[in-house]
Amino acid sequence: MTLEIAAKQVLCTRTRWQSTATIRVRHASVDLVHAVLEAPLAITAHPTPFTIERDTMLDESMLLGSGTVRVVSVQGVDAAYLVLTDTDLSDCLFSGAFHLDQLRLEGRTTLAFTPTGWHSKGIAPVHWTRRRTLAEEQHWRAQAAGQPAAPTNTPPESRRWRTGPHHFDPARTPDPDDVAALAFSPPA
């Protein structure tokens, strides 16, 4: 099965995929929380507007943005059958997923970067090494630093950690052990 979707949001929460499927997406945030994959599922960012009926392009004027596809969660998913191509994983939650070592990331995959510039830790200046991080690490570090929650629907500041959905609830924000359990090697 192949689905072609141009939308603001694609919710595949608790869906069951019993045969091979490809979802070609434009503009959307894709949520796969607790999806059950029994066969390969590919989520692919489609680079150009979809064509309908004899070379007529699908009207995407109501969908804002560049066509970027963001995967926002794979929590609870067996990632052994999951392939993500040309997706933004900057805010993707991986906690609770398993077989992350078998997740296939293809094409251009975007992860969140550490904050830029000099920061203070006590009285000593600190410069973060530029590296890509998982959303759970961003959320933990933002909370540990006592950083205020970012306003809703605003782009993240390059000099701050990204705050999570449960920023002020330490019991629901990942800790270092949770982050370490998610360690996998995304492509460079």
Side-chain angles (χ1 to χ4, degrees), residues 3 5 21-28 30 32 40-48 50 67-72 74 79 81-89 92 94 102-111 132 184 187:
L3 299 172
I5 303 170
T22 299
I23 304 176
R24 295 184 187 127
V25 187
R26 289 191 42 78
H27 301 285
V30 179
L32 295 167
L41 173 64
I43 307 293
T44 304
H46 195 67
T48 58
F50 296 117
T68 299
V69 174
R70 296 175 46 248
V71 178
V72 296
V74 295
Y81 286 123
L82 185 58
V83 180
L84 303 175
T85 305
D86 295 330
T87 55
D88 181 346
L89 303 178
C92 185
F94 290 94
Q102 296 176 47
L103 172 64
R104 289 186 46 200
L105 302 177
E106 297 184 354
R108 293 186 177 120
T109 300
T110 305
L111 291 168
R132 299 187 300 172
F184 70 100

Side-chain angles (χ1 to χ4, degrees), residues 1 7 18 21 45 72 83 94 97 105 122 127 133 160 162 170 172:
M1 170 173 55
Q18 294 180 315
V72 296
V83 180
F94 290 94
L105 302 177
H127 190 270
T133 60
R160 294 187 173 272
R162 291 170 181 248
R172 295 181 70 189

Side-chain angles (χ1 to χ4, degrees), residues 1-67:
M1 170 173 55
T2 300
L3 299 172
E4 294 182 335
I5 303 170
K8 182 177 180 181
Q9 189 175 44
V10 176
L11 297 175
C12 295
T13 304
R14 299 189 187 283
T15 54
R16 179 176 295 275
W17 302 87
Q18 294 180 315
S19 64
T20 302
T22 299
I23 304 176
R24 295 184 187 127
V25 187
R26 289 191 42 78
H27 301 285
S29 64
V30 179
D31 190 341
L32 295 167
V33 170
H34 300 293
V36 177
L37 311 182
E38 297 176 16
L41 173 64
I43 307 293
T44 304
H46 195 67
T48 58
F50 296 117
T51 304
I52 54 174
E53 297 183 32
R54 297 190 182 129
D55 299 329
T56 304
M57 300 294 246
L58 180 66
D59 180 15
E60 297 179 358
S61 60
M62 294 183 64
L63 299 170
L64 302 175
S66 63

Side-chain angles (χ1 to χ4, degrees), residues 139 141-144 146-150 162-170 173:
H139 302 168
R141 290 188 182 273
Q143 187 179 65
Q147 184 178 305
R162 291 170 181 248
T163 56
H166 308 294
H167 184 64
F168 293 109
D169 185 355
T173 298

